[in-house]
Amino acid sequence: MGPQESETGSDKFRLLVKFSSNTPVFGCRMFPIVRVTRHQSFLQLEVPSHELTFSWYREQTSSSFDREKVRCSVHLDMLAKMQCEECVKLNLSVKGSYHCSNSCYVDAWEKHKVYHRYAAETVSETLSNNQQEVRNVKSYGPDKYWPESDFVVGSSSDKNEKVMEPDGKIWIKVGSSKSYAPTEHDIGHHLRLECAAVDCSMGTNITPVNITVTDPVIYPPAHPPRSTIKCVWKSWNSGLEAHSSSDLTFSVLSYNILAGIYAIGNRYSYCPEWALSWEYRMQNIINEIIEYDADILCLQEVQRDHFEDLLKPALAKCGYSVLYKTKTKEVYTPNQYTIDGCATFYRHDKFKEIVKYELEYDKSALPFVEALEPELKKAGCFRLLKDNVALVVILERVKNEECFDGNQPRICVANTHIHASEKFPDVKLFQVVSLINGLEKIANSKIPLLICGDLNSLPLSNPHSFVSKGILQSVPNKENDPLGSDGIEEQQRRKMDSETMEPIFTNFTSEFTGTLDYIFFTVNSLRLESVLELLDKEALGSGLPSPQWSSDHIALMGSFTFTLERSSYQGQRLLPCLPSPWRTAAAR
């Protein structure tokens, strides 16, 4: 069943409630869209100041909890038998809290402790009564397993508030905040949301209570894990030695996560409606990103409201700080104006921000448009003034015992999303050239450089060639193949184009299959140690997104080691001054 809008109303006002999908998914928080409007004959009236109240219920049935559905977060083929209590209390990823055995939990404990510490630092106050109840599950702890009987969420069902309908159906209250994340107890059951608009001055409802009932809660399929493949270098960096300290190795992820404003219409008709809802996709993408455990994340198509509501707080609990740059033109949705952009996350225990640069490509094109003849300016504005952006940051390793001559190595990370339309190849090239012209000044200051993003350009196209044949080299390279051996090489090779030695695809839909996403790096200062395994197109079905993979792009990741000599770190102290239209934030 697709998303439906339920409506209740009085003589004057109406209360509208809608879900992006009517099928709730275990562990994925639901955010209802709520509006109070006027009836057609009372358009002259002002909607009074009001507050919205929410009550969530689960249908009570004779069936017991289907624990056969919940899988271990580490061993996906095993049933979960225990759950981390602290993950639940700190509102961390639900899926990541389940384990199949005591040894599985113990093996994952070190990572759990890190996430618990990060999450605790972001919690400024304890949960109030207006939030979903904290679950006090009986089976927590390294030596405890689920009992044969159902375990408890919050207080016992007998003590929870209940609602009985005239037909005898009973609903048990499970939450009272605007959003709700279905738990393991909800799997297979309908949910019910009661919403009311209460007049702030009178304390009375301005409309009748709106009641919305969902389809049964489902348990989603897990995506298969992606391993990392070690790179064996033969000729690159032959005269440079990487520092032996593992503290000077870091990983970078680049991922176009498909903004919700673009995941609409019939373009992705092959994807189930519930798997296309932004609530499910965002939570699934967050889980995927956390699994990769990269030190630096370069994300594109990050929608502003989803960034603030879900992505930023979720990754803050995993120890990430973030920089965010939106495009320059907002898009209207049925509910609000919104916009997407580029977000660069980094682990604040490994890096600190030194300086940030922002590039708005329409501003870089403006001088060229202004120089056109009057009769050409209109066409020039339409063609060149696109709303794409680039976000560039210089990061420095956090001080540690492996510092060199008192200086820590720095890295410059550029994150960009180039214009998409295939009808504008000149615009794509112009934007890439604008970016590289600024980055060359940074590269000349001996700071290692990474360019991550969606170039919306195929391998060997002009934008791709301009980057890869200049001061930068793409990952990997045809002439010096970095892939390892022992059977892994052939497995990865068949997922790559034999001519370009780029992946066969990073974007896969029913309309297009090809490589648009890249990670470029300066080979004289960084050495590639490993890459993330590519996906097999034949195993993905009709296209992306899907229930397992929630974007139409795939994530790329590489692990790098600094190869600069110690004397070069001193040269990194001098920060370049980039010309207009680059905007620079104050150094920290």
Side-chain angles (χ1 to χ4, degrees):
M1 180 185 293
Q4 297 181 345
E5 186 172 57
S6 61
E7 173 185 335
T8 60
S10 62
D11 293 337
K12 301 177 181 178
F13 305 107
R14 297 183 301 168
L15 180 61
L16 307 174
V17 179
K18 182 180 180 180
F19 294 113
S20 60
S21 168
N22 208 53
T23 303
V25 181
F26 162 72
C28 296
R29 189 165 292 276
M30 304 173 67
F31 294 86
I33 301 168
V34 183
R35 293 184 296 153
V36 177
T37 63
R38 297 163 291 187
H39 274 294
Q40 193 68 28
S41 55
F42 292 93
L43 295 180
Q44 74 280 5
L45 293 180
E46 290 290 334
V47 176
S49 177
H50 60 276
E51 294 181 350
L52 297 174
T53 63
F54 302 88
S55 295
W56 293 85
Y57 297 85
R58 177 180 66 247
E59 179 184 12
Q60 178 175 293
T61 65
S62 57
S63 62
S64 61
F65 162 56
D66 185 7
R67 70 182 55 150
E68 297 297 316
K69 292 284 188 180
V70 182
R71 299 282 168 171
C72 174
S73 60
V74 179
H75 307 98
L76 301 181
D77 58 338
M78 301 293 292
L79 294 178
K81 293 186 177 181
M82 62 190 339
Q83 190 177 24
C84 177
E85 179 178 13
E86 288 302 311
C87 286
V88 177
K89 289 182 178 180
L90 294 170
N91 199 26
L92 287 166
S93 169
V94 173
K95 279 191 173 182
S97 65
Y98 290 101
H99 293 277
C100 58
S101 67
N102 184 53
S103 60
C104 175
Y105 184 26
V106 170
D107 290 343
W109 179 241
E110 289 302 318
K111 181 175 289 189
H112 274 279
K113 285 198 301 183
V114 173
Y115 288 158
H116 296 165
R117 175 170 60 84
Y118 289 145
E121 292 172 355
T122 66
V123 177
S124 58
E125 57 185 16
T126 58
L127 294 175
S128 66
N129 292 330
N130 194 40
Q131 294 177 289
Q132 187 176 345
E133 288 83 352
V134 176
R135 300 183 294 154
N136 299 313
V137 182
K138 292 179 180 178
S139 57
Y140 293 127
D143 301 314
K144 299 179 181 178
Y145 293 81
W146 284 348
E148 291 302 319
S149 60
D150 288 351
F151 54 83
V152 180
V153 177
S155 56
S156 68
S157 299
D158 293 337
K159 296 180 181 179
N160 283 1
E161 179 183 333
K162 297 181 180 180
V163 172
M164 179 176 290
E165 294 184 340
D167 61 1
K169 184 177 292 185
I170 298 175
W171 299 85
I172 303 171
K173 189 171 183 179
V174 293
S176 56
S177 62
K178 179 177 180 179
S179 64
Y180 178 74
T183 71
E184 59 268 33
H185 286 277
D186 301 320
I187 298 172
H189 300 280
H190 294 271
L191 297 179
R192 165 184 172 131
L193 172 62
E194 295 184 1
C195 181
V198 181
D199 190 304
C200 291
S201 59
M202 303 294 294
T204 57
N205 291 355
I206 62 176
T207 69
V209 174
N210 182 293
I211 298 177
T212 307
V213 177
T214 73
D215 294 337
V217 176
I218 65 173
Y219 188 84
H223 62 76
R226 296 173 65 183
S227 61
T228 57
I229 298 177
K230 184 177 176 60
C231 298
V232 179
W233 296 95
K234 298 177 182 178
S235 57
W236 280 15
N237 312 108
S238 57
L240 296 170
E241 290 189 7
H243 295 298
S244 59
S245 171
S246 60
D247 190 60
L248 293 177
T249 297
F250 63 95
S251 53
V252 179
L253 177 84
S254 184
Y255 198 2
N256 180 326
I257 63 174
L258 180 58
I261 51 179
Y262 307 130
I264 56 177
N266 297 322
R267 183 179 182 186
Y268 305 110
S269 58
Y270 49 83
C271 182
E273 172 267 327
W274 61 266
L276 204 55
S277 69
W278 73 265
E279 292 100 331
Y280 173 76
R281 290 198 311 105
M282 185 58 65
Q283 188 58 62
N284 201 35
I285 285 170
I286 289 172
N287 291 339
E288 181 186 355
I289 290 173
I290 291 174
E291 288 175 13
Y292 295 142
D293 199 28
D295 299 314
I296 301 172
L297 313 172
C298 292
L299 308 182
Q300 303 88 42
E301 284 196 26
V302 180
Q303 191 167 316
R304 180 173 57 195
D305 49 329
H306 302 167
F307 170 77
E308 295 292 347
D309 293 340
L310 281 178
L311 193 62
K312 180 180 178 180
L315 293 180
K317 292 180 179 179
C318 297
Y320 289 99
S321 296
V322 65
L323 305 168
Y324 183 52
K325 173 62 180 175
T326 63
K327 293 180 179 178
T328 56
K329 296 177 184 177
E330 291 188 326
V331 176
Y332 180 73
T333 69
N335 308 297
Q336 62 180 343
Y337 279 96
T338 189
I339 197 169
D340 71 287
C342 296
T344 300
F345 293 82
Y346 60 92
R347 290 196 184 279
H348 53 67
D349 63 341
K350 291 190 176 182
F351 291 98
K352 65 179 180 180
E353 176 192 345
I354 299 301
V355 64
K356 176 183 71 172
Y357 304 96
E358 296 178 351
L359 176 61
E360 298 175 354
Y361 291 118
D362 54 358
K363 290 184 178 179
S364 65
L366 195 57
F368 297 91
V369 174
E370 293 295 331
L372 293 173
E373 296 297 328
E375 63 272 13
L376 299 177
K377 279 190 178 182
K378 183 176 181 180
C381 286
F382 170 75
R383 192 159 193 89
L384 282 178
L385 301 187
K386 304 303 181 184
D387 63 348
N388 305 86
V389 297
L391 176 62
V392 179
V393 61
I394 295 179
L395 301 173
E396 182 178 286
R397 290 294 308 219
V398 173
K399 187 175 182 180
N400 59 80
E401 66 276 6
E402 295 293 336
C403 64
F404 295 91
D405 302 324
N407 293 317
Q408 291 294 327
R410 291 178 175 179
I411 179 75
C412 176
V413 181
N415 182 6
T416 191
H417 189 189
I418 299 301
H419 184 66
S421 175
E422 60 184 14
K423 297 179 181 180
F424 295 84
D426 53 332
V427 175
K428 298 175 191 284
L429 181 58
F430 176 85
Q431 292 182 349
V432 168
V433 170
S434 299
L435 175 64
I436 297 302
N437 283 344
L439 294 179
E440 278 187 333
K441 298 181 181 295
I442 297 176
N444 290 338
S445 64
K446 297 185 178 181
I447 298 178
L449 179 60
L450 284 156
I451 301 178
C452 304
D454 179 358
L455 297 191
N456 272 309
S457 303
L458 293 170
L460 304 183
S461 64
N462 285 332
H464 175 271
S465 297
F466 185 82
V467 178
S468 62
K469 294 180 181 179
I471 61 170
L472 302 175
Q473 186 69 49
S474 62
V475 182
N477 175 266
K478 179 181 179 181
E479 296 179 359
N480 300 282
D481 178 21
L483 299 178
S485 55
D486 298 329
I488 297 179
E489 181 178 2
E490 182 59 32
Q491 178 184 352
Q492 186 82 336
R493 278 184 182 277
R494 66 184 180 84
K495 302 173 185 176
M496 303 179 69
D497 185 281
S498 59
E499 179 182 358
T500 66
M501 287 310 298
E502 296 284 6
I504 292 177
F505 73 93
T506 64
N507 178 229
F508 175 33
T509 70
S510 60
E511 300 175 352
F512 173 84
T513 301
T515 292
L516 303 176
D517 308 87
Y518 306 92
I519 299 177
F520 297 95
F521 67 99
T522 45
V523 297
N524 62 335
S525 54
L526 294 172
R527 184 171 70 183
L528 181 65
E529 301 290 348
S530 63
V531 294
L532 189 63
E533 178 187 19
L534 296 172
L535 294 182
D536 193 333
K537 181 172 176 285
E538 285 69 28
L540 296 178
S542 301
L544 300 175
S546 68
Q548 290 85 3
W549 306 99
S550 290
S551 175
D552 55 350
H553 292 248
I554 66 171
L556 300 177
M557 188 171 75
S559 178
F560 299 89
T561 301
F562 289 99
T563 58
L564 284 173
E565 297 178 356
R566 297 187 183 189
S567 59
S568 298
Y569 289 112
Q570 186 61 40
Q572 296 181 14
R573 305 302 101 186
L574 303 176
L575 294 176
C577 295
L578 272 62
S580 177
W582 290 79
R583 293 195 303 170
T584 307
R588 297 183 179 180

